[in-house]
């Protein structure tokens, strides 16, 4: 694998529980590891939002090169009403 200097990948993502009753929106630079951490939190009984509601199902993600863009988009999506998030996921 050849590294590209100055190039990074960031993701915003929406995860939910089995019954899709709650949504969690987050940002990360490694989606696979971050999803594993959410699953681990659920099995370890940690007191986090994702463990409380068992949010381990990835419903949606977007990819960004710049962290500032990813954070801005995460904040935007977090402020949306449930109906608008559902439309985005569809």
């Amino acid at each position: 694998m050849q590294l590209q200097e100055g190039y990074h990948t960031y993701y915003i993502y929406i995860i939910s529980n089995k019954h899709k009753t709650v949504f969690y929106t987050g940002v990360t630079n490694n989606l696979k590891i971050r999803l594993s951490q959410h699953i681990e939190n659920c099995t370890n009984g940690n007191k986090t939002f994702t463990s409380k509601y068992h949010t381990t199902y990835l419903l949606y993600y977007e990819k960004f090169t710049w962290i500032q863009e990813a954070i801005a988009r995460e904040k935007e999506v977090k402020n949306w009403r449930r109906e608008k998030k559902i439309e985005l996921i569809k």
Side-chain angles (χ1 to χ4, degrees), residues 64-82:
F64 297 87
T65 302
W66 304 104
I67 186 64
Q68 296 88 345
E69 291 176 345
I71 291 170
R73 180 66 168 161
E74 177 202 24
K75 288 179 182 179
E76 178 185 15
V77 172
K78 276 187 174 185
N79 287 324
W80 288 356
R81 297 184 58 88
R82 179 179 181 83

Side-chain angles (χ1 to χ4, degrees), residues 6-69:
Y7 178 80
H8 299 282
T9 303
Y10 301 94
Y11 302 89
I12 65 134
Y13 60 94
I14 300 174
I15 56 176
S16 187
N17 58 5
K18 182 178 181 179
H19 303 289
K20 312 295 186 280
T21 56
V22 295
F23 293 138
Y24 175 87
T25 304
V27 65
T28 185
N29 66 342
N30 190 317
L31 192 55
K32 184 176 180 179
I33 290 174
R34 188 66 182 119
L35 293 173
S36 295
Q37 291 170 339
H38 286 301
I39 292 167
E40 187 178 319
N41 282 338
C42 289
T43 58
N44 289 343
N46 293 341
K47 304 289 184 200
T48 63
F49 178 90
T50 56
S51 66
K52 180 178 179 181
Y53 294 101
H54 299 282
T55 55
T56 58
Y57 296 87
L58 178 65
L59 301 179
Y60 180 82
Y61 71 92
E62 292 178 21
K63 194 188 296 189
F64 297 87
T65 302
W66 304 104
I67 186 64
Q68 296 88 345
E69 291 176 345

